[in-house]
Amino acid sequence: MNSTREAQAEENKQGGEVSVVLSGCAKDDAGTVFDVLRAAFATDRASVDVPQDVTGKQPTAWVATVDVAEERVVSGSVELAAPVTVDAQGGYWAVERLRHSLAGAFAVRVVGTVFGDQEEEVRLRLASK
């Protein structure tokens, strides 16, 4: 049976992809969060893939997959016009690493968590520091 530390090390070796969904925010704030994520980690969302407004009354959500296996340093806080809701889903180690990195740029508050056998989903609320 693996200890927690051994399990985290094994997960790190396998990579740490986290599915990220942004909602409840303006497209500019979503773009700001994606910029921070791209600066900190490898992501499937290119810098030219900026969030766009969608017509209609449906809620808008923007999605990216972030690989937290190799973290780059992001220094300094980043301004948001309004709070942003982030739903992050992945392995425990990967989601925690994502949350910790976002805390370098934003005030981060955990507003909900769903635990699974090998992964978790966390709802975060990001705001300017």
Side-chain angles (χ1 to χ4, degrees):
M1 185 177 286
N2 286 346
S3 70
T4 302
R5 186 171 295 190
E6 289 169 339
Q8 288 174 347
E10 183 61 29
E11 182 180 352
N12 189 18
K13 290 176 192 171
Q14 297 173 359
E17 286 193 351
V18 179
S19 175
V20 175
V21 179
L22 307 181
S23 61
C25 64
K27 68 178 182 176
D28 292 337
D29 284 337
T32 299
V33 174
F34 284 133
D35 288 345
V36 168
L37 289 172
R38 260 192 309 280
F41 305 109
T43 176
D44 68 346
R45 195 168 185 104
S47 60
V48 295
D49 186 10
V50 295
Q52 301 293 318
D53 283 326
V54 178
T55 58
K57 296 184 181 199
Q58 298 294 329
T60 303
W62 296 281
V63 179
T65 300
V66 179
D67 185 349
V68 301
E70 293 185 36
E71 182 178 21
R72 298 179 289 266
V73 175
V74 177
S75 60
S77 60
V78 178
E79 294 295 317
L80 294 170
V84 175
T85 299
V86 177
D87 290 315
Q89 181 178 5
Y92 288 97
W93 172 86
V95 170
E96 178 58 23
R97 189 165 194 174
L98 178 90
R99 187 201 60 74
H100 182 265
S101 184
L102 287 171
F106 307 105
V108 178
R109 183 170 53 101
V110 177
V111 294
T113 305
V114 176
F115 300 102
D117 184 32
Q118 296 181 18
E119 63 180 33
E120 68 179 326
E121 183 173 346
V122 175
R123 176 162 286 174
L124 307 170
R125 195 74 167 150
L126 307 182
S128 299
K129 284 187 174 184

